[in-house]
Amino acid sequence: MDITNAVKIIKEAKHLTALTGAGVSAESGIPTFRGKNGLWNKFRPEELATPEAFARNPELVWKWYAWRMSIIFNATPSRAHLALAKLEELGLLKALITQNVDDLHERAGSKKVIHLHGSLRIAKCSSCSHVEYLKEPPHTLPKCPECSSLLRPGVVWFGESLPLDILRKAVEELSKSDAVMVVGTSAVVQPAASLPLIVKENGGKIVEINPERTPLTAMADVSIRGKAGDVLGKILKAL
Ligand code: NAD
Ligand code: ZN
C-alpha cells in the first residue's frame, strides 16, 4: 500500500528530488555513523570529525579517514544507488542531494548530485586554497605542495558551516520540488535534516525510506520501513 502511494507521488511529481544519507551506502558495506565500526567503535564520529580533533591529533584523524577511504574506494554501488540513477535516467528524478561523502551515486550513474558535506576523494590545504584529488587513501600525513601545511579531508566537519554555494543549490532545487524522497538518513544532522521541510512548506510531499523511524517520519506523507535497495527496487518495478 505504501509502495503504491509512493509510486503515485513519484509519478505525479513535476519536480522530484531525493535527499540521501549513509543508509543508502550501508548496503555497499560502508558503515553508517550509528553502525558497528569494529576497531573504531571506541571513537565517536563527533569526536573525530571536528576541527578541534584535527588540531589536537591530525594523525589519528587521518588514520580514521584513511580507514573510511579504503572501504569507500573499494566499494561498489548498491541496488539503492543504481535505482536512484535509474529514476534520473527515466526523467523522474530531477536532482539528488546527498549527505554522503562517498562517490557511489556518481559511480552508479547519477548525474545531478549535490554533495552537502563534501567528498572523501578530495584533500584540501588547511592554510591555502590548494585542493587535490585522492586516488588512494594517504598512508602518511599529507602535506600541501604549495605551502607545506597539513592537508585535511575535503569534507564538512561537525561545527563547520556548509559551503554557501552548495547549500544555495540544494535550497534552490528543493524550492522547485513538489516531492522529495528522503532515503537512509537519520535526519538529525542539521541543516540537512530540515531541508525536506522546504518542500512540505510549499505544499509538496515527503516520501521517507528508512528501516527505522526518524524525527522526519511524523512529517512524511508516506514513510516506508525497509532497506533502501529493497524498497526502491519495488518502487521501480511498480512504476
Ligand atoms: P546516519 O549514520 O546518522 O544514519 C543512517 C541512517 O540510515 C539511519 O537512520 C538508519 O536507520 C538508516 N539505514 C541503515 N541501513 C539502511 C538501509 N539499508 N536502507 C535505508 N536506510 C538505512 O547517517 P546520515 O543521516 O547520513 O548523517 C550523518 C553524517 O554521516 C552525514 O554528515 C554524512 O556525511 C556522514 N556519513 C557518510 C557516510 C558515507 O558517505 N557513506 C557514511 C557514514 C556517515
Ligand atoms: Zn597550502
Side-chain angles (χ1 to χ4, degrees):
M1 199 56 204
D2 277 347
I3 299 280
T4 314
N5 291 337
V7 166
K8 189 167 181 289
I9 291 173
I10 290 168
K11 275 184 166 167
E12 285 175 0
K14 292 195 173 60
H15 198 97
L16 173 72
T17 305
L19 173 69
T20 67
V24 293
S25 296
E27 289 166 57
S28 292
I30 299 169
T32 61
F33 273 181
R34 278 136 196 98
K36 294 187 187 73
N37 292 356
L39 170 67
W40 291 100
N41 232 353
K42 56 185 164 138
F43 297 97
R44 286 170 13 104
E46 293 85 343
E47 287 161 7
L48 289 165
T50 67
E52 293 76 21
F54 190 67
R56 205 166 41 232
N57 194 342
E59 242 146 10
L60 175 72
V61 172
W62 262 116
K63 266 191 188 155
W64 182 59
Y65 275 98
W67 168 73
R68 292 180 60 203
M69 285 171 182
S70 66
I71 296 174
I72 284 173
F73 296 177
N74 289 310
T76 46
S78 68
R79 283 187 303 153
H81 295 108
L82 294 168
L84 288 161
K86 186 75 190 168
L87 282 174
E88 182 183 347
E89 193 192 312
L90 293 170
L92 293 166
L93 187 65
K94 300 295 191 286
L96 197 160
I97 302 164
T98 187
Q99 297 169 83
N100 294 344
V101 291
D102 62 52
D103 54 354
L104 292 171
H105 281 306
E106 286 89 343
R107 285 201 265 142
S110 288
K111 300 276 183 291
K112 201 161 175 199
V113 186
I114 300 170
H115 280 274
L116 288 175
H117 295 160
S119 165
L120 286 188
R121 284 289 182 185
I122 301 290
K124 59 184 185 184
C125 179
S126 47
S127 302
C128 76
S129 57
H130 178 78
V131 167
E132 55 189 67
Y133 180 85
L134 294 174
K135 267 201 219 135
E136 301 288 335
H139 299 298
T140 52
L141 264 186
K143 298 257 172 70
C144 176
E146 320 256 345
C147 77
S148 307
S149 301
L150 282 180
L151 295 183
R152 55 161 282 179
V155 299
V156 178
W157 278 331
F158 291 103
E160 292 183 323
S161 312
L162 269 60
L164 252 188
D165 54 329
I166 303 287
L167 186 59
R168 202 171 285 143
K169 259 195 213 163
V171 170
E172 213 172 88
E173 278 306 326
L174 291 163
S175 304
K176 286 191 277 190
S177 301
D178 50 356
V180 58
M181 296 167 70
V182 185
V183 193
T185 171
S186 59
V188 292
V189 178
Q190 296 294 356
S194 300
L195 289 175
L197 300 180
I198 298 175
V199 179
K200 196 77 191 161
E201 273 159 20
N202 289 337
K205 305 260 201 260
I206 298 179
V207 175
E208 182 184 55
I209 302 172
N210 198 309
E212 287 169 31
R213 278 186 74 84
T214 76
L216 209 65
T217 305
M219 259 84 82
D221 296 271
V222 178
S223 187
I224 306 178
R225 293 282 85 75
K227 290 189 171 182
D230 291 343
V231 175
L232 287 167
K234 282 183 191 156
I235 287 177
L236 266 184
K237 253 193 197 156
L239 276 171

